[in-house]
Each structure stands twice: as structure tokens, then as C-alpha cells.
Amino acid sequence: MRLFLIACLAVLWFAAPARAGLTFCNDTAIRATVSIGYKGDEGWTSEGWWEVLAGECTTVLGGDLPLTHYYWRATTGDEDFPAEDYYFCSSDDVFTIVGDTNCEVRGYTREPFSEIVVGSATDVTVRMTGAAVSEPVAAPAPAPEPQPAEAGVDLDAVSQLLQGTWYNVSDDDFVMTISGTVIEDSYAGYKAGLAMFELAETCDGADGAGPVMLVNYPDVPLLCWIILELDAETLVYIPANRDKPIRMDRGL
């Protein structure tokens, strides 16, 4: 079965030098590893693996990107993220392989990769989320900037508004159900993750913004989600130290 937390190829350009190069951000609750392909000086080349922990980003190529196209493949180890029809040689071990033909004869496997169209950009981020698209997507309407938490925020009222089922605005197959202090994620009807959470006025990395959800998935470092908007029909939050808000609604 293909991985139901599907990869979303969203090519974003950042001015910040800390992210120069080719970066992968894992917006799922599952640890992934990434390999890349490109046309190097010696011909078509593939390299792997880089670990991208859930909720974190990893830069695999630093500095300005000299090529207009790169290719990538991601896996959890048990299942692969869906890919396009660009084939490179691969290996379960750490590898650098020159040449994209006769893979099996040379002791490798031949695997599908997805394309990244860089164009003239020198700084690209690929996000792995719950939405499946094949081309860069237009940025959503900007979310409100995180604001300092108000003193004495009513966390009980926040908890009551959070209860129930939320659908990702970008892909309503991705569903988050909140019951009490439990979050259950699913994609296309398949269970995708289970976490416990608690509410707080703010957290480390939020620069005083809040309220926040402190979310604990198994084997994943504690996550801090800053709530930007919340009412009976809309939930917008952004993980601390990230720049892309997640928009949810009741799916009505």
C-alpha cells in the first residue's frame, strides 16, 4: 500500500541565507528519509539518504543551486511516498551512484523519483504534507502573524472550540479529529497518526505568541502549534519556528 500521508511538492523561495540551497520539510507525523537525483559533471547521479524528522526541515544541498532541475524520492523505510516517472538507481544503504541505467546489473534498484523545477531560483524548499499535487501551488491567503498571548486566556474555551473533526483546506481527505486531549489523524479513511496534547498560553520558540497546543506524537519531539485563528468553523495554526500555516475547517 502506498503511503497515505502523501508528499506535497511546494516549491518556495526564501531570502533567508540559513535555508540557502535545497531543503526538505516534513509536515507529517512520520520520520522520512530523502534521496535526490540530478545531472552532474559525470552524468545522471543519485544520492541518499538524508533524515527528515517529523515536523522538521533538513537542507540536503547548501548554497546556490546551479541546476534548473532536481529529482527526489522519500520513504519511511516501510513505505514509499508516491513519486513521478523519473527513474534513478537507488540503494538501501547510503549511496552516491553515477548513471541511471543498468541499475539491477550493478547491484542497485531502479526507483521512481519526482521532479523539482528550480528554474532561476537558487533557494528551494520541498514540503511533505497531506496534500498531493504535481506542480508548485499558489500560496494561500496570508495567515495572521502570531500575536503575543493575552494574559489569562481562557484555555477551557479554546479546548471546547477545538473538539470535533477538522478537514485540511488544501486536501479534505486529510482529517484531524480532536476528542478531549487526543488528536487522531487520518488520510482517505486510513489512520495516519495519534497524539496527546495540552493547551498553554505560549511555548519556547513561539516568541510569546499563543495560545498554543503542545502536541506529543510517539517517537517525535514535542511539537508546539500556535493557534492563529479559532472559531466554530475555522482553525488556523502554525508550528513554532515554521513559516507555513495549516488551515482547517469543519468540512461543511
Side-chain angles (χ1 to χ4, degrees):
M1 183 178 69
R2 303 296 284 179
L3 186 72
F4 44 79
L5 282 177
I6 301 175
C8 170
L9 175 58
V11 179
L12 305 175
W13 289 267
F14 295 90
R19 285 192 178 180
L22 178 59
T23 298
F24 290 85
C25 290
N26 185 354
D27 292 337
T28 77
I30 301 174
R31 168 192 172 275
T33 54
V34 172
S35 58
I36 62 170
Y38 55 89
K39 192 166 187 179
D41 294 338
E42 299 179 69
W44 290 109
T45 302
S46 51
E47 293 186 55
W49 297 90
W50 288 267
E51 182 179 58
V52 190
L53 297 177
E56 297 188 9
C57 298
T58 297
T59 297
V60 304
L61 295 176
D64 293 345
L65 299 176
L67 304 177
T68 60
H69 292 74
Y70 292 85
Y71 303 84
W72 68 286
R73 173 176 175 245
T75 181
T76 67
D78 295 322
E79 296 178 286
D80 294 345
F81 285 77
E84 299 170 0
D85 293 328
Y86 301 92
Y87 284 85
F88 287 84
C89 298
S90 184
S91 172
D92 290 338
D93 300 321
V94 174
F95 66 91
T96 298
I97 303 171
V98 177
D100 62 340
T101 58
N102 300 318
C103 300
E104 291 84 357
V105 173
R106 295 190 288 155
Y108 306 120
T109 59
R110 186 171 181 262
E111 303 290 352
F113 282 56
S114 294
E115 184 181 43
I116 306 170
V117 180
V118 175
S120 60
T122 58
D123 182 10
V124 173
T125 293
V126 176
R127 308 201 78 97
M128 294 178 285
T129 72
V133 296
S134 59
E135 296 180 355
V137 296
E145 290 294 326
Q147 299 297 317
E150 296 181 6
V153 61
D154 188 346
L155 297 181
D156 288 336
V158 173
S159 177
Q160 291 176 17
L161 285 170
L162 286 171
Q163 302 302 306
T165 301
W166 298 94
Y167 296 83
N168 190 302
V169 170
S170 299
D171 182 359
D172 59 10
D173 277 336
F174 187 81
V175 179
M176 179 174 70
T177 300
I178 297 178
S179 178
T181 59
V182 177
I183 298 173
E184 183 173 348
D185 299 327
S186 64
Y187 189 84
Y190 292 96
K191 184 177 178 180
L194 191 67
M196 302 291 294
F197 79 95
E198 61 179 300
L199 293 170
E201 292 189 0
T202 190
C203 67
D204 292 341
D207 295 327
V212 301
M213 300 170 66
L214 304 177
V215 182
N216 186 15
Y217 285 96
D219 302 321
V220 175
L222 186 68
L223 305 175
C224 175
W225 296 350
I226 306 167
I227 298 174
L228 303 179
E229 295 182 18
L230 177 62
D231 57 33
E233 306 300 335
T234 303
L235 167 62
V236 181
Y237 65 92
I238 185 169
N241 300 317
R242 301 294 289 277
D243 49 29
K244 182 181 179 182
I246 298 171
R247 296 172 177 267
M248 314 286 287
D249 65 24
R250 294 293 187 182
L252 300 178

